[in-house]
Amino acid sequence: MDGRKMQILELLKEDARRSAELIATMIDVPVDEVKQAIAEMEQDHIIVKYATVVNWSKVEDEKVTALIEVQITPERGRGFEGIAERIYLYPEVKSVYLMSGAYDLLVEVQGKTLKDVASFVSNKLSPIDAVLSTKTFFILKKYKQDGIIFEEHEDDHRLLISP
């Protein structure tokens, strides 16, 4: 991928609302070149989706999010792919990652309550034949996601005391 497309990707990652016109001005290229590059990256599935990052702690309709470490037995001929697909097709599942280390998959799940997430683990995830074990961690608070800091940061106004 050329440097121009990387610049466009970085600018869109920072703010997906940026217009092709603004991006063209920022990187000093013709607007048509930016539009063409974006269209190509969308067609090649480099740009998959434009999304909004929401600080759910500021919204009354809060959700419970959990990270679940899953140990699995890979399927003959497909490895981890088939099991990961079975898991990511559930609507409660927001992300699935193949990991190195003590567990195989890291699954991010969202529900309305702790009970909803627990029910997903016990009724849908754990019964999958290839699943050997799960370990669930509930997210209590998000401070930063995708490079975006959620809370306003106050500078330290204390006076410096030197010896």
Side-chain angles (χ1 to χ4, degrees):
M1 178 178 306
D2 65 37
R4 182 94 51 220
K5 284 185 179 178
M6 285 301 294
Q7 285 179 303
I8 294 168
L9 280 177
E10 290 296 330
L11 290 170
L12 286 173
K13 179 67 179 147
E14 285 175 14
D15 186 354
R17 296 178 298 172
R18 286 187 171 134
S19 67
E21 291 78 11
L22 177 58
I23 293 170
T25 301
M26 292 173 81
I27 62 175
D28 195 29
V29 298
V31 175
D32 290 340
E33 187 177 323
V34 172
K35 288 180 179 178
Q36 177 66 31
I38 291 171
E40 287 173 8
M41 290 187 288
E42 289 172 345
Q43 178 132 18
D44 294 340
H45 293 277
I46 294 168
I47 297 175
V48 180
K49 183 178 181 177
Y50 297 91
T52 301
V53 177
V54 178
N55 183 354
W56 288 106
S57 68
K58 303 267 183 181
V59 179
E60 293 202 16
D61 181 30
E62 288 192 45
K63 297 172 178 17
V64 174
T65 304
L67 298 176
I68 306 166
E69 296 177 352
V70 184
Q71 286 186 320
I72 60 176
T73 302
E75 294 177 332
R76 187 179 310 272
R78 289 197 71 199
F80 297 105
E81 302 300 318
I83 301 150
E85 182 178 349
R86 264 185 84 184
I87 294 169
Y88 69 61
L89 288 175
Y90 286 112
E92 301 93 334
V93 175
K94 300 304 169 199
S95 304
V96 177
Y97 305 98
L98 180 62
M99 306 295 289
S100 64
Y103 56 94
D104 303 303
L105 298 177
L106 180 65
V107 180
E108 180 181 359
V109 176
Q110 254 184 7
K112 288 189 181 283
T113 65
L114 293 171
K115 188 175 181 180
D116 289 343
V117 173
S119 175
F120 170 79
V121 173
S122 62
N123 298 326
K124 295 179 180 176
L125 184 60
S126 293
I128 297 173
D129 288 335
V131 172
L132 300 174
S133 69
T134 64
K135 188 186 288 186
T136 304
F137 302 89
F138 288 96
I139 295 176
L140 303 177
K141 181 176 181 177
K142 285 187 184 180
Y143 294 99
K144 183 176 181 178
Q145 177 182 326
D146 295 327
I148 299 166
I149 298 171
F150 287 120
E151 299 296 323
E152 298 286 329
H153 176 71
E154 282 191 37
D155 292 331
D156 188 354
H157 298 291
R158 294 179 290 177
L159 296 175
L160 179 63
I161 300 174
S162 58

